[in-house]
C-alpha cells in the first residue's frame, strides 16, 4: 500500500499511530506529499484523491481510501492487536464521538493558522470564534479525562492525541496543561505508548508547493485568562 504522507500532518499522524498499533508499518510505503489549504492542490495527490488532502491511502489493487477516519477504520479491520473501534454498542459510539471531537479541534487549529496567512489580514470575528471553540472543546475533554483514562485505547483517543499534538506543534506559548490538568495527566500517560512517541509531528525540508512555506503570525491562546 502507498500512503500520501507528511510528518507535519496531524491527520496523517492518526494513520501512522494505527499502523503501529496494528503492527502494519512494514506494509505501507510512505510518500512525502505536500499540501497547503491556501494553495492550488497537489496534482499528483489529486490523481488519488480529488480533494487533494492528506492522508490518502492507495491499496495494492489501486483503489484509494480517504479520509483519515475511513483509512483508520479500514486498517483496524486488518493487522494484529486489539480493535481500536469496537464493533457495536456504547464503546463504539464513545470512540466515534471522541474522534469527531479530536478531528474537529484539529480542523479549527488548521483553519486558524491558515487564516493568519491572509495577506489582507484576518477576518476579525474568526480568531474569537476559533478561540471559543478550542476553549470549549478543551473544557469538555477536561471533564471527560477520567472516562478517557478508563476506556480501552481506541480511535477516539488517537484523534484527541493528534489534536493536542497540533496544539503543541503550532500554537506556541499556550499553557493548556496548567489550565486543563486532568487532560494533561491523561495525555502524559497515553503518550508513553510507542505509537504516540514515535509520531510526534515535525517540520521537515519539503519540495514545497506554492503558498506552502508561509510564515504565519504566531497564534497564541491564553488558556489561563478567565473564559468569556
Ligand atoms: N477530514 C480529513 C481532513 C484532512 C486534512 O485536512 N488534511 C490536511 C493536512 S493535515 C490537508 O490535506 N490540507 C490541504 C487541503 O485541505 O487542501 C481527514 O480526516 O483526513
Amino acid at each position: 500500500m502507498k500512503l500520501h504522507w507528511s510528518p507535519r500532518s496531524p491527520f496523517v499522524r492518526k494513520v501512522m499511530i494505527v499502523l503501529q498499533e496494528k503492527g502494519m508499518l512494514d506494509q505501507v510505503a510512505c510518500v512525502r506529499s505536500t499540501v497547503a489549504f491556501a494553495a492550488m492542490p497537489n496534482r499528483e495527490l489529486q490523481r488519488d484523491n480529488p480533494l487533494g488532502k492528506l492522508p490518502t491511502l492507495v491499496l495494492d489493487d489501486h483503489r484509494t481510501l480517504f479520509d483519515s477516519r475511513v483509512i483508520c477504520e479500514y486498517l483496524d479491520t486488518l493487522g494484529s492487536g486489539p480493535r481500536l473501534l469496537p464493533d457495536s454498542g456504547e464503546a463504539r459510539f464513545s470512540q466515534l464521538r471522541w474522534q469527531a471531537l479530536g478531528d474537529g479541534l484539529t480542523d479549527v487549529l488548521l483553519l486558524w493558522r491558515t487564516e493568519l496567512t491572509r495577506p489582507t489580514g484576518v477576518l476579525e470575528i474568526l480568531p474569537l470564534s476559533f478561540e471559543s471553540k478550542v476553549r470549549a472543546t478543551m473544557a469538555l475533554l477536561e471533564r471527560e479525562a477520567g472516562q478517557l483514562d478508563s476506556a480501552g485505547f481506541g480511535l477516539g483517543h488517537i484523534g484527541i492525541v493528534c489534536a493536542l499534538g497540533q496544539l503543541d506543534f503550532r500554537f506556541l506559548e499556550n499553557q493548556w496543561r496548567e489550565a486543563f490538568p486532568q487532560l494533561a495527566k491523561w495525555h502524559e500517560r497515553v503518550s508513553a505508548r510507542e505509537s504516540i512517541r514515535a509520531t510526534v509531528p515535525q517540520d521537515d525540508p519539503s519540495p514545497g508547493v506554492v503558498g506552502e512555506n508561509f510564515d504565519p503570525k504566531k497564534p497564541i491562546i491564553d488558556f489561563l485568562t478567565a473564559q468569556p
Side-chain angles (χ1 to χ4, degrees):
M1 294 183 276
K2 172 176 117 179
L3 178 68
H4 288 281
W5 170 91
S6 161
R8 308 171 182 186
S9 162
F11 289 110
V12 168
R13 186 182 185 195
K14 289 176 62 193
V15 174
M16 297 309 292
I17 292 174
V18 171
L19 284 170
Q20 187 139 343
E21 291 286 336
K22 304 298 286 188
M24 296 178 69
L25 274 177
D26 58 351
Q27 296 181 37
V28 173
C30 292
V31 174
R32 179 68 167 96
S33 296
T34 49
V35 294
F37 186 67
M40 286 303 288
N42 175 326
R43 282 285 176 80
E44 211 166 310
L45 169 58
Q46 225 181 354
R47 277 198 280 274
D48 291 326
N49 175 354
L51 297 169
K53 281 184 184 284
L54 298 176
T56 295
L57 185 69
V58 184
L59 305 181
D60 292 338
D61 62 7
H62 303 297
R63 279 179 302 146
T64 53
L65 287 183
F66 38 84
D67 59 5
S68 68
R69 286 169 278 219
V70 176
I71 298 171
C72 289
E73 199 170 332
Y74 174 75
L75 295 173
D76 190 33
T77 63
L78 309 173
S80 55
R83 287 297 291 266
L84 298 167
L85 183 63
D87 281 332
S88 60
E90 280 296 307
R92 176 179 178 82
F93 288 98
S94 291
Q95 291 296 337
L96 288 173
R97 175 178 169 278
W98 277 328
Q99 179 171 237
L101 211 48
D103 285 4
L105 182 53
T106 300
D107 278 334
V108 173
L109 296 175
L110 290 175
L111 280 173
W112 193 339
R113 224 170 98 82
T114 300
E115 189 60 28
L116 293 174
T117 68
R118 192 190 288 273
T120 51
V122 180
L123 208 57
E124 212 174 313
I125 189 69
L126 285 180
L128 299 174
S129 166
F130 291 154
E131 182 163 343
S132 167
K133 289 174 185 174
V134 173
R135 278 179 190 277
T137 305
M138 296 293 282
L140 178 60
L141 291 174
E142 173 75 1
R143 293 197 295 278
E144 296 187 2
Q147 290 153 256
L148 284 167
D149 222 8
S150 54
F153 184 73
L155 294 188
H157 297 90
I158 294 171
I160 292 167
V161 160
C162 293
L164 296 177
Q166 184 67 10
L167 204 50
D168 283 334
F169 185 41
R170 294 299 192 206
F171 284 67
L172 304 175
E173 296 164 43
N174 73 79
Q175 320 89 334
W176 72 263
R177 287 175 178 77
E178 289 144 71
F180 305 104
Q182 299 309 319
L183 184 61
K185 278 188 205 142
W186 168 76
H187 183 255
E188 195 181 336
R189 275 194 291 275
V190 82
S191 296
R193 295 180 90 91
E194 180 53 29
S195 63
I196 294 176
R197 282 196 286 130
T199 55
V200 171
Q202 285 175 23
D203 274 316
D204 66 335
S206 76
V209 292
V210 177
E212 197 220 13
N213 292 318
F214 57 76
D215 182 19
K217 293 182 211 72
K218 307 245 181 300
I220 296 172
I221 310 169
D222 182 1
F223 283 118
L224 297 178
T225 57
Q227 302 221 2

